[in-house]
Amino acid sequence: MDINILSSLHSALILSAKLFIVIVALMIIYEFYEKSKLFEITQRYAKSPIEAIGISTNASITMIVGFILGITYGAGVLIKNAMENKMNKQDTILSAIFLSICHAVIEDTLIFVAVGANGFILFGIRFVMAIAVIIAIQKLFFKKRNI
């Protein structure tokens, strides 16, 4: 087995550059999206389900981005919104916990379906568990004291 360190390093640098381009492009798209009418429409439709589990509307976009694109992009939006004080501590913590359990549902589910898993069961369990944990944490910790 011949291991070529320079070839591996070159491949790793190429992959890193591609990932950098994708992440920067997504953040630029998000900045335009945040200023658009579509952002307001998305927030309006996400309001009821997000508030039903105890998270305010301010966190809805963070939840949607993380839910669809994954924890990395969702965390980026979460950190940005938290630093800009668009989300309070409770929403930040609950959003992070939700996204830790249920993130990238499209991508992850498709990967597991490709290897033979039942996508509906996989998605259902992740989604229900995330909601149940968020509701439990919200009731146990945030109703009694403020963080």
Side-chain angles (χ1 to χ4, degrees), residues 88-91 93-94 137-147:
N88 62 32
K89 286 184 182 182
Q90 178 177 337
D91 290 337
I93 292 168
L94 291 175
I137 289 172
Q138 190 254 351
K139 288 184 186 231
L140 289 172
F141 295 104
F142 293 107
K143 290 293 184 183
K144 296 177 184 173
R145 55 189 141 100
N146 290 329
I147 288 183

Side-chain angles (χ1 to χ4, degrees), residues 23-139:
I23 291 170
V24 168
L26 283 170
M27 292 310 289
I28 290 170
I29 291 168
Y30 176 76
E31 289 296 324
F32 282 109
Y33 169 71
E34 189 176 37
K35 309 278 188 274
S36 72
K37 292 282 186 196
L38 184 58
F39 181 83
E40 295 170 15
I41 293 168
T42 306
Q43 216 170 15
R44 190 174 340 123
Y45 283 106
K47 181 180 179 177
S48 295
I50 299 295
E51 286 181 345
I53 60 172
I55 300 173
S56 74
T57 307
N58 294 339
S60 62
I61 297 304
T62 301
M63 299 283 284
I64 292 168
V65 169
F67 187 75
I68 295 171
L69 295 178
I71 192 95
T72 304
Y73 305 116
V77 173
L78 177 76
I79 291 167
K80 178 184 177 290
N81 287 340
M83 289 177 69
E84 294 175 357
N85 293 321
K86 293 181 179 178
M87 296 170 54
N88 62 32
K89 286 184 182 182
Q90 178 177 337
D91 290 337
T92 302
I93 292 168
L94 291 175
S95 296
I97 293 169
F98 182 89
L99 293 178
S100 295
I101 299 168
C102 192
H103 61 274
V105 293
I106 295 170
E107 176 189 1
D108 287 354
T109 303
L110 290 176
I111 288 171
F112 284 105
V113 165
V115 295
N118 183 322
F120 295 110
I121 293 173
L122 183 65
F123 171 78
I125 289 172
R126 287 179 71 192
F127 190 68
V128 169
M129 282 299 298
I131 290 173
V133 168
I134 290 304
I135 290 171
I137 289 172
Q138 190 254 351
K139 288 184 186 231

Side-chain angles (χ1 to χ4, degrees), residues 13-27 73:
L13 288 172
I14 297 294
L15 178 61
S16 295
K18 289 178 182 178
L19 288 171
F20 177 78
I21 290 168
V22 168
I23 291 170
V24 168
L26 283 170
M27 292 310 289
Y73 305 116

